[in-house]
Amino acid sequence: MMPHNTKKLRQTDARRIILEELKDLTSHPTADEVYEIVRKRIPRVSLGTIYRNLEILSENGQIQKLEGGGTQRRFDGNTGNHYHLRCVDCGRVMDLPTQPLKEIERALFNLVEYEIHHYKLDLIGVCPPCQAVKSKSSPPAAED
Amino acid sequence: MMPHNTKKLRQTDARRIILEELKDLTSHPTADEVYEIVRKRIPRVSLGTIYRNLEILSENGQIQKLEGGGTQRRFDGNTGNHYHLRCVDCGRVMDLPTQPLKEIERALFNLVEYEIHHYKLDLIGVCPPCQAVKSKSSPPAAED
DNA sequence: TTATATGCAAATTGTTTGCCTAGGC
DNA sequence: GCCTAGGCAAACAATTTGCATATAA
């Protein structure tokens, strides 16, 4: 694991508020969701500014960029190492309620001798809310 | 882990050749790379057909769609569970030379009680070729 | 014969960029 | 005052789609 190059950024309203909002959320919003959220506090903010800052903040190690959930990138204010559950039904990305597992990290770092910066672990399945919906409305043997 | 819904697809030249080529490669090509490869065998094939078939084949569980490596999606003819190394320098995606690790799977499936279809594990770091270049041409102190 | 797949090109989507002004330090 | 950051709109790149024709079953 490598440390991030945290450089000194100029403190602007947009930047500060984007970061604040992301730190408060566990919903891993997309850029346009962040845009809508920030717009409530800075009505004239532009989508370009959102994108620029999300990029800068993630380069700077203050947020995480999540890819792999389809077409849109998502952002995570939690920079600690944690795992995600991606729901195949609703597309939601949830944090798994656990610390990084020692046995996984041990296994991983025995695996290769290369320079490894970090790792990503995603479970793909059905999130609890969708699970609930399913079991509630499951007819004995649904036809067509 | 859930089985894939492998439905019967009509067998066309484009479909068959895309699959053949992907099964022969370990380079995880992008859609346009697949297009160039297939074009050598079907000169009038269209990029739309490539995209449509890559989508269909991955829905059908015959190939894997890889996302998260930046702007372009990549495709993998190896549908067995295996891990990837993503190179931060060159963007290459390599297979890790190992079987899925028992201790990882054990840890994972203890982690949640949800319905899990599969999981993805990516190491992010420097691939052997880039590593080699680095150590060979390492100047006293300079990068970029 | 009939539904599925294709070629082609236009459309869409998510993201990035240029340019000029505003504002943090 | 200098230089980074922002607003806005236009540009881009990757992917998707509509439609008329071709082809597998």
Side-chain angles (χ1 to χ4, degrees):
Chain A
M1 308 282 185
M2 304 228 105
H4 259 285
N5 57 315
T6 304
K7 78 175 153 196
K8 185 67 186 161
L9 294 180
R10 185 175 287 186
Q11 156 113 342
T12 65
D13 284 358
R15 191 120 73 209
R16 179 176 44 78
I17 288 173
I18 289 171
L19 191 54
E20 275 175 26
E21 295 289 348
L22 275 177
K23 294 288 179 193
D24 277 352
L25 287 171
T26 59
S27 62
H28 314 92
T30 57
D32 58 287
E33 286 166 349
V34 173
Y35 176 52
E36 289 308 330
I37 291 166
V38 173
R39 218 134 79 94
K40 297 196 178 117
R41 300 178 59 185
I42 314 177
R44 291 178 51 75
V45 76
S46 82
L47 187 55
T49 293
I50 302 294
Y51 272 105
R52 269 190 276 238
N53 278 300
L54 288 171
E55 183 61 30
I56 289 171
L57 290 169
S58 78
E59 269 178 10
N60 215 44
Q62 294 170 273
I63 65 174
Q64 276 192 66
K65 201 190 296 184
L66 309 180
E67 313 184 80
T71 50
Q72 278 182 91
R73 204 166 282 171
R74 289 175 174 278
F75 297 89
D76 191 343
N78 177 356
T79 54
N81 192 348
H82 61 286
Y83 309 144
H84 289 128
L85 170 65
R86 296 180 179 276
C87 182
V88 294
D89 283 356
C90 68
R92 205 172 338 217
V93 177
M94 308 187 58
D95 295 329
L96 290 189
T98 180
Q99 295 296 107
L101 298 180
K102 289 284 171 297
E103 54 266 59
I104 289 183
E105 310 216 323
R106 206 176 310 118
L108 276 187
F109 288 93
N110 283 331
L111 201 55
V112 287
E113 75 283 13
Y114 324 135
E115 180 184 320
I116 298 301
H117 294 201
H118 59 282
Y119 71 100
K120 281 198 295 211
L121 177 55
D122 289 358
L123 302 196
I124 293 92
V126 183
C127 73
C130 285
Q131 194 93 77
V133 170
K134 273 183 163 176
S135 40
K136 191 164 301 174
S137 62
S138 69
E143 306 306 315
D144 69 282
Chain B
M1 307 280 186
M2 302 231 102
H4 259 284
N5 57 318
T6 304
K7 79 175 153 198
K8 186 66 185 160
L9 295 180
R10 185 176 287 189
Q11 155 112 345
T12 65
D13 285 359
R15 192 120 74 209
R16 179 176 45 76
I17 288 174
I18 289 171
L19 190 55
E20 275 175 25
E21 295 289 347
L22 275 177
K23 293 288 180 194
D24 277 352
L25 287 172
T26 59
S27 62
H28 313 93
T30 57
D32 59 288
E33 286 166 349
V34 173
Y35 176 52
E36 290 307 330
I37 291 166
V38 173
R39 219 134 75 96
K40 295 196 181 118
R41 300 178 57 187
I42 314 178
R44 293 179 47 77
V45 76
S46 81
L47 187 53
T49 293
I50 302 294
Y51 273 106
R52 270 189 277 236
N53 278 300
L54 288 171
E55 183 60 29
I56 288 171
L57 289 169
S58 78
E59 268 177 11
N60 215 43
Q62 294 171 273
I63 64 175
Q64 275 192 66
K65 201 192 296 185
L66 309 181
E67 313 184 79
T71 49
Q72 279 182 91
R73 204 165 283 170
R74 290 177 173 278
F75 297 88
D76 191 342
N78 177 356
T79 54
N81 193 346
H82 61 288
Y83 308 144
H84 289 129
L85 170 65
R86 295 181 180 277
C87 181
V88 294
D89 284 356
C90 68
R92 207 173 334 218
V93 177
M94 306 186 58
D95 294 329
L96 289 188
T98 180
Q99 295 296 108
L101 298 179
K102 288 285 171 296
E103 54 266 61
I104 289 183
E105 309 216 324
R106 207 176 309 119
L108 276 187
F109 287 94
N110 283 331
L111 203 53
V112 287
E113 73 285 12
Y114 324 135
E115 181 183 319
I116 300 301
H117 293 202
H118 59 285
Y119 70 100
K120 282 200 292 214
L121 177 54
D122 289 357
L123 302 195
I124 293 90
V126 182
C127 72
C130 287
Q131 194 94 75
V133 170
K134 273 183 163 177
S135 40
K136 192 164 299 173
S137 62
S138 71
E143 216 48 45
D144 281 305

